[in-house]
Amino acid sequence: MREFKILEIKQGVFDDNNKQADGLREDLKKRGTFLLNLMSSPGSGKTTTLVKTIRALKETVKIGVMEADIDSDVDAVTIGQEDVKVIQLHTGGMCHLDAEMTRQGLHGLGMDDLDLVILENVGNLVCPAEFDTGSSKNAMILSVPEGDDKPLKYPLMFSIVDVLLINKIDVLPYFDFDVDACIERAKKCNPNIKVILCSARNGEGIEEFADWIKTEVATWKKEQ
Amino acid sequence: MREFKILEIKQGVFDDNNKQADGLREDLKKRGTFLLNLMSSPGSGKTTTLVKTIRALKETVKIGVMEADIDSDVDAVTIGQEDVKVIQLHTGGMCHLDAEMTRQGLHGLGMDDLDLVILENVGNLVCPAEFDTGSSKNAMILSVPEGDDKPLKYPLMFSIVDVLLINKIDVLPYFDFDVDACIERAKKCNPNIKVILCSARNGEGIEEFADWIKTEVATWKKEQ
């Protein structure tokens, strides 16, 4: 397993998080490092999806992962098995990351040779939607057991993400989840949202997500 | 369906939320109204559990429900079908309720004749754990699809609740969820936590939860 650091990150002291986020995004573009901010509720399958996505990408893309959590390092331990660069960020009780916290994380991770850094944000559909981390793109996971009404209840989150992964579709037969209704509600929040149906458990849809990431990383580097 | 109000509640202006919470708890005790604060991740089944619990209680206990949400009124519409007093609280983007917001909600609901008010808090395992609402007792739901590692990742939430409902046990065969390991982890955060296995869908465990509430309401009134 890869060794990893645990970093206690502090909330940004800057009034204007949007300005900090734009600055970070610009710095990342100059380096040619693409930052993907991955958000979801607790337990929607972020870490398992990440593991499968890393396996689909790591031959062609140099990847680093930042695991943000209130406490614990269980996710960094899991990701460390995949032999990619990983750091555990402890938010000290904070329910989200801002751009300055993300910058501290990137500094701790070190990104000299990385094409892609994936930030697994704190499990929360509310606060992370309100803070631009400086990411190149945002993705979210909604899992089938959570219900198809979530775009109605957390519209801001659905409005700020580029990709929505509807995960755990292998258990669709056991839940009352209307895929079409969910997509329609998500598109009402965000007409440009890309939707991928997937199952991190059986691998369905992971290739499509990995391909989307590859294209985005290539475009980011081209614009460098 | 019962008509319900939608109330926009404002964050408390008080420095000391704990003091406000203690004050509210005292006021509620004087009235003999028991306030239960119900918390969980988005999609763990709070509203469905509430519906079934209300049906088990409403012949013997006078119930009011406060549905807190960032936006939308889907949950109040659902609870309104059960012919209990209900109010939808909009938190204006806030990810939790503090004691002052809870007091605004109770004032909007009106509680002259109520034995029990249930607050369905915002779907979030982080922030609601940090703010005492003034509730008599706290309960949380963790659903099987979220995973048995959640007490490791959100220890504060597990440490402040009196009851943990492990919900959606009807889908246990389709998920890798170790009930014993989960309970052991929860008890490490909180040795006194009461754990109830339930399925809001098929009704298992609801009677046990309703009985616990009945006993707590009776004790609360006795201490009045």
Side-chain angles (χ1 to χ4, degrees), chain A residues 151-168:
Chain A
L152 300 174
K153 302 183 70 179
Y154 304 93
L156 183 63
M157 178 58 82
F158 287 81
S159 75
I160 61 130
V161 295
D162 301 284
V163 176
L164 163 65
L165 299 170
I166 300 183
N167 191 25
K168 304 191 188 178

Side-chain angles (χ1 to χ4, degrees), chain B residues 5-130:
Chain B
K5 270 197 282 196
I6 297 180
L7 184 67
E8 311 290 330
I9 51 176
K10 307 266 177 270
Q11 192 178 6
V13 294
F14 300 101
D15 281 342
D16 189 348
N17 182 61
N18 288 341
K19 203 173 147 188
Q20 297 303 319
D22 286 339
L24 176 55
R25 207 161 12 245
E26 214 170 292
D27 291 349
L28 288 167
K29 180 148 269 182
K30 281 183 199 146
R31 287 173 166 274
T33 303
F34 183 89
L35 174 62
L36 181 67
N37 176 22
L38 181 61
M39 295 170 286
S40 83
S41 291
S44 66
K46 281 193 296 305
T47 312
T48 312
T49 303
L50 257 184
V51 165
K52 298 291 175 82
T53 307
I54 287 167
R55 289 180 192 168
L57 284 172
K58 75 176 177 188
E59 297 303 314
T60 51
V61 181
K62 278 181 204 139
I63 307 172
V65 176
M66 302 196 290
E67 286 293 334
D69 225 328
I70 307 295
D71 213 348
S72 95
D73 58 5
V74 289
D75 292 339
V77 169
T78 306
I79 298 294
Q81 314 284 350
E82 300 306 310
D83 194 29
V84 292
K85 208 167 183 180
V86 60
I87 188 168
Q88 178 73 55
L89 310 179
H90 282 172
T91 63
M94 287 293 293
C95 48
H96 65 272
L97 268 77
D98 60 21
E100 172 56 22
M101 293 163 91
T102 305
R103 196 186 274 277
Q104 291 168 38
L106 288 165
H107 186 80
L109 179 71
M111 48 175 174
D112 283 347
D113 56 346
L114 299 179
D115 305 312
L116 166 68
V117 176
I118 302 175
L119 166 62
E120 185 179 328
N121 214 313
V122 181
N124 184 338
L125 286 189
V126 186
C127 321
E130 293 167 14

Side-chain angles (χ1 to χ4, degrees), chain B residues 206-218:
Chain B
I206 295 298
E207 205 57 45
E208 189 181 350
F209 184 43
D211 284 346
W212 176 82
I213 292 175
K214 268 188 227 169
T215 307
E216 290 294 330
V217 170

Side-chain angles (χ1 to χ4, degrees), chain A residues 33-223:
Chain A
T33 303
F34 183 90
L35 175 62
L36 181 67
N37 176 22
L38 181 62
M39 295 169 285
S40 82
S41 291
S44 66
K46 281 195 296 305
T47 312
T48 312
T49 303
L50 256 183
V51 165
K52 299 291 177 83
T53 306
I54 288 167
R55 289 180 192 166
L57 284 172
K58 75 176 175 187
E59 297 303 313
T60 52
V61 181
K62 279 182 204 136
I63 308 172
V65 176
M66 301 196 291
E67 286 293 334
D69 225 328
I70 307 297
D71 212 347
S72 96
D73 58 6
V74 290
D75 292 339
V77 169
T78 306
I79 297 294
Q81 314 283 351
E82 300 305 310
D83 195 30
V84 293
K85 209 167 183 180
V86 60
I87 189 168
Q88 179 73 55
L89 310 179
H90 281 172
T91 63
M94 287 293 295
C95 49
H96 65 273
L97 268 76
D98 61 21
E100 172 56 22
M101 294 163 91
T102 306
R103 196 186 274 276
Q104 291 168 38
L106 289 165
H107 187 79
L109 179 71
M111 49 175 173
D112 282 348
D113 57 345
L114 299 178
D115 305 312
L116 166 69
V117 176
I118 303 176
L119 166 62
E120 186 180 327
N121 214 313
V122 181
N124 184 336
L125 286 188
V126 186
C127 321
E130 292 167 15
F131 291 85
D132 187 344
T133 57
S135 62
S136 315
K137 295 276 170 172
N138 295 318
M140 76 170 286
I141 301 179
L142 174 72
S143 64
V144 164
E146 293 170 63
D148 55 35
D149 62 343
K150 291 300 158 290
L152 300 174
K153 302 183 70 179
Y154 304 93
L156 183 63
M157 178 58 82
F158 287 81
S159 75
I160 61 130
V161 295
D162 301 284
V163 176
L164 163 65
L165 299 170
I166 300 183
N167 191 25
K168 304 191 188 178
I169 56 163
D170 54 299
V171 296
L172 268 172
Y174 314 115
F175 290 90
D176 304 321
F177 187 97
D178 185 332
V179 173
D180 292 337
C182 183
I183 294 174
E184 193 184 321
R185 286 165 186 158
K187 294 216 171 205
K188 219 166 184 174
C189 302
N190 181 352
N192 300 318
I193 200 166
K194 177 181 171 67
V195 181
I196 298 175
L197 300 182
C198 70
S199 162
R201 183 147 68 173
N202 69 26
E204 205 176 329
I206 296 297
E207 205 57 45
E208 188 180 351
F209 184 43
D211 285 345
W212 176 82
I213 293 176
K214 269 188 227 169
T215 307
E216 291 294 331
V217 169
T219 307
W220 190 253
K221 284 183 177 286
K222 217 179 283 167
E223 292 168 352

